[in-house]
Each structure stands twice: as structure tokens, then as C-alpha cells.
Amino acid sequence: MPCVGRRFKPLPNETLVLKSRTYTIRPHPMAPTSPFAAEGRRAVVYNLQDGAGAKWALKVFRRAFRVSSLVDSAALVGQYQHLPGMIAARRTVIAPGDEAAVECPDLAYSTLMPWIEGNTWYDLLLNPSKFRPQYDHGASLRICGTFLKVMEGLEHAGLTHTDIAPGNVSVNLNTLGVQLLDLEDIYVAGIAEPDVKNMGSSGYQHPSAEAGKSTWCAEGDRYATAVMAAEMLLFANPDTESFSSDSGLFGGDRNTSTGTQRFNATFPYLQSVAPHFAELFRSAWMSETLDACPLASQLSQAIAKVPLPPTFRWEPLTKGPQGHITQPSSFNGGFRIPTPEPPEQPAPQPPQPTRKPLGPLGWALIVLAGILLLTGLVWAFVAASRSGMRVQSRLVPEQRDLQKIIIAPTIGTRGTHEVRAFTSNGETSVTNRLVTGHDFNRALRTTKTAVILSSPTRLLRVALEMTATTGADSTRLRDVVMRSGVDRAAINAVEGPAFAFSCSGSNTVPCPIAF
């Protein structure tokens, strides 16, 4: 038992026995000589592993918070472990009379529950530049929608968390899942009131808290839910990065100058991405009471009305022997667009009346139209040649089943880029010097996905200038430029899996950029 002087002081890889099962204290991934633990205001949570390899969380409360009501609270929340986002409700309390608590009194009323993978919303707020590459508009809609479904489930069950705050909401950016933490103070109608009622956390506290209104009520989560849902949408907007703090993106309510200024600055973005939700959020922001705030179900329905972009799956880039980012030949990094489902077959049409065959006049008109079309194409080609547009070869083969285009610098030949067109029948490769916006624009229109592998400087700038005059979808290119410029040294300094869209360096070392 990792107990020193009857105090719980575990070391990495030490074992302890709880409820007749043996667990191992896991070392911290960034500091192997320290236990993997997260410290909060009321408790320290340790990461354990059982003999089967499953991960668990042991929540060891500080002396002032070791109270017998934790046993009743665990029994209460355990009834709702089937609800979405309530994995932490599967918990076991170590009673003071248990062998582990007798040997180490610090473990009295400690709680054992499944370990939840992911990061708290607090982690994302304090390090936006680290997490934003994985958090685009599509991810923001899905995470916000999942969070609101979790809160809607509590609402229908008659539960109130009472402290929706960044540290109590966990987000998994790989699965886009959301889980609630710190379930000890959940409100259910009819149970005994706690000695100290929760008033809400800074940045998520309704203005009525100033008059003594607590969140220990059926409507206690409504205001904080609306604020956090709005933050989940806003986090995808790089313009909000400077607003991130441990008090959320708004940092106050309508009665504070900071809260008012940030609401006014961010509300137009909310209106542009989710107009119905934006109006509900405005009503919560301006509400006089918690009861006047919209329900979680109303917010959830508003987000469900927003069209979702295609689903993306994030895959980590791998590191080479010296810790440098490597690029597998199969493009094993960044966002990957899944293979689209085949279109639905149209319903059978009723028999159509038989058309009469064309007569001599009809065939003559068709031949004349073909001659005119061919003449126009010849003149267009001559005009393009005279204007200096030099196309050395076709950029994209004329095939209808193109899946992806990859453009990468040709090693050893300055200014030349290799073009690979991936189809369901195989791969073709040609060489083309990108000198006009016409070819680049055609690539974007011809294929479902265009992937450029290059340094995030010259080629992207040239491509953006090209599309400015050809009418291509420059929004996607701005997005590529926005995501580029990640310094290679900064990527190599990251411990564990590294995520990046691009990196700086020589043109002979392609950097992954996807859009």
C-alpha cells in the first residue's frame, strides 16, 4: 500500500488493493518519475490500471471534503449511469471501515470510477493553439451537439449538475464525445439540500447569483449550458483565441464590461453559423432569471437544424528515429475524407413514348453544331497559346471517377510540381509547371478532393493569387493558409503523437496540407 505515515503518497507503478482488486499507479506520460494525477480544488484524481489493462480514476478528497454524504451521492448518481455523458456515475466509494482506508485514512470516502479519455474544456481554453488544428467548424458543431444531447438527457431525467464549468466537462477530440465530471453535487427533486449550495463558476454564473440565487434547482444548469455551448461553436473561430481564459471565452456576464464587449464581438459569428441557436443564446444572456433561460432541448434542436459538413477523421502523423515528422506514402496524417457512399438509385420511370428517328435535316443540324463547336475549341486553344499560357501537359486526366489529387514539388527540379491523380482504376502521374490559375482551378473543380503537399509559403501564396482572378473557391485556400506556417521545431518538441497540417522547411521535403 503506497501509504507513508498513514498518508496516501503513491509512487509510479506502486500497487494498491481496493475492494479486493489490485491496481497499479500509472506514471505520468510527461514525467515518468511522478504518478499520473490531476489536482483540483476538492480532490486529487489518480490514474490506475487493473490486471486486465482497464484504466480507472481514484478520486482522493481533501480532508475538508471527506463527508459521509459521498456514499449517498454515489448511490444516487449510479442510477443514471446509462445516460449519455455519465460514465463517471459508475463509481464505488471506499468507506472508512474498508481495509484500504483503515491502513491509509486519506483514502476514506475516496471514489473509484472509470478513467475518461480526453481533455477538459479547461485544457482547450488555456491552450487554444494546441487544440485548434483538430477543431474546425464541423468538429465544433458535432461537439456542441453532443454536449447539448448530454444536458438534454439530464434535463429529461430531472437532474441538474449544478456546476457546468470548464473543469467539469471532458471532450474527446478523436471521438468527438463529451462526458461530465464532478457528479457529487447533482440535484434531484426531493433529496436533502447540501450545507453549502453551488452558485456557479466564474464566467458561467447567471447574474441572479449576485442576489443569492443558487444553481441547486431544476433550472440551475440552463444559463451555464447556453454559455458553454456558445463557446464550443466559437472555439473554431481563430479570432476568439485572445478571449480564452479560465473563466471561459466571455469572462463575465451582461453586467460586466468584459462580458458585454465579448458578447458583442462574437455574436455576429454565432448568427452566421447557427442563427436559431444564436437567438436562443441571446435570450439566455439577457435573461433576468435562470427559469427564463432556454431549455437544453431547445438549444439541441437549434443545433440539429444546422447542416453538418462531411465527416473527417483525424489521424496522427508519425515520428521518425530522430523525432522528425515522417510522411508515409499513403498520406497517413491530417484529415482524411472517407469514401463517399454510392448515390441512391432513382426510382423507375414509367415507359416513355417511342421517339421517331431523326431525319436527314436533323442529322445535318447535329453535324453543323459539331463543326461549330470544334471550330470554337480550336480558336480558344490558339488564343490561349498566343496569350502566353504555357501548359506542358494535362493536369488531370479526363476520368469521371477521380478521388483525390496530390501536388508535390518535384525533387531536384526547381519550380516543377509532380501531379498524381488517384482514381478507382489506379494512379496516373504527369509533370506540369503550375504557371496559370486555369490549371489549378480546374483541379479543384474536377476532383472531390485536392491535396497539396508543399512548403506553406510560395505555392500556397501563388495558388491564392491565381484563384483571386479565376473565381475559384478562395475560402478553402484561405483556410489552408490559416492552418499553415506551423514551425517544424515546434512540432518536433511535442511529446507523443504530433498533429500538424504543414511545416516549414525545404521545398524538397513535402509538408502535409489538406483541405
Side-chain angles (χ1 to χ4, degrees), residues 118-132 135 143 164-171 173 201-204 224 227-252 262 266:
N119 300 94
T120 63
W121 189 245
Y122 181 89
D123 295 333
L124 272 72
L125 287 174
L126 291 193
N127 200 349
S129 60
K130 175 182 177 181
F131 296 103
R132 184 164 285 114
Y135 200 105
I143 290 175
I164 295 299
N168 295 337
V169 176
S170 176
V171 175
L173 294 180
S201 296
S202 176
Y204 305 84
V227 171
M228 184 162 290
E231 290 183 348
M232 289 176 171
L233 295 179
L234 291 169
F235 195 77
N237 181 6
D239 294 338
T240 64
E241 183 167 332
S242 61
F243 295 165
S244 294
S245 70
D246 55 1
S247 298
L249 292 180
F250 295 97
R262 293 182 179 179
T266 57

Side-chain angles (χ1 to χ4, degrees), residues 147 151 154 161-166 168-169 180 200-201 204 220-221 224-225 228:
F147 167 68
M151 299 309 299
L154 263 65
H161 184 281
T162 72
D163 190 17
I164 295 299
N168 295 337
V169 176
L180 298 182
S201 296
Y204 305 84
D221 287 341
T225 296
M228 184 162 290

Side-chain angles (χ1 to χ4, degrees), residues 8 26 30 76 104 106 110 178 192 198 201 232 345 349 476 496 499 509:
F8 187 65
R26 298 187 68 225
M30 304 296 291
L76 172 66
C104 193
D106 279 355
S110 60
V178 175
N198 205 319
S201 296
M232 289 176 171
Q345 296 296 326
Q349 299 294 325
R476 287 190 295 169
F499 301 90
V509 182

Side-chain angles (χ1 to χ4, degrees), residues 396-397 399-405 421-423 446-448:
V396 182
Q399 299 188 30
R400 297 179 180 273
D401 58 347
L402 280 170
Q403 298 297 319
K404 179 173 62 176
I405 292 177
F422 290 82
T423 71
T446 307
T447 183
K448 299 181 181 67

Side-chain angles (χ1 to χ4, degrees), residues 357-486:
L358 291 174
L361 179 60
W363 282 109
L365 291 175
I366 290 176
V367 171
L368 179 60
I371 293 173
L372 292 175
L373 178 61
L374 181 60
T375 303
L377 291 175
V378 171
W379 277 107
F381 178 79
V382 172
S385 299
R386 291 179 178 178
S387 64
M389 294 189 348
R390 297 177 295 127
V391 181
Q392 297 181 358
S393 61
R394 291 189 304 168
L395 180 63
V396 182
E398 296 295 339
Q399 299 188 30
R400 297 179 180 273
D401 58 347
L402 280 170
Q403 298 297 319
K404 179 173 62 176
I405 292 177
I406 293 183
I407 305 173
T410 303
I411 297 178
T413 306
R414 182 178 180 85
T416 302
H417 294 75
E418 183 182 65
V419 179
R420 292 185 180 180
F422 290 82
T423 71
S424 60
N425 299 325
E427 171 187 329
T428 59
S429 177
V430 296
T431 300
N432 189 304
R433 189 183 303 276
L434 294 176
V435 295
T436 69
H438 171 78
D439 289 335
F440 188 84
N441 200 23
R442 180 184 174 199
L444 293 182
R445 291 197 308 267
T446 307
T447 183
K448 299 181 181 67
T449 308
V451 181
I452 302 177
L453 304 182
S454 178
S455 61
T457 53
R458 180 179 176 276
L459 181 59
L460 288 177
R461 190 180 305 111
V462 170
L464 189 58
E465 293 172 354
M466 290 175 181
T467 54
T469 58
T470 58
D473 186 357
S474 60
T475 303
R476 287 190 295 169
L477 289 172
R478 292 194 187 96
D479 190 56
V480 173
V481 175
M482 178 191 73
R483 296 171 187 266
S484 67
V486 180

Side-chain angles (χ1 to χ4, degrees), residues 492-503:
N492 294 334
V494 177
E495 296 289 342
F499 301 90
F501 276 98
S502 64
C503 53

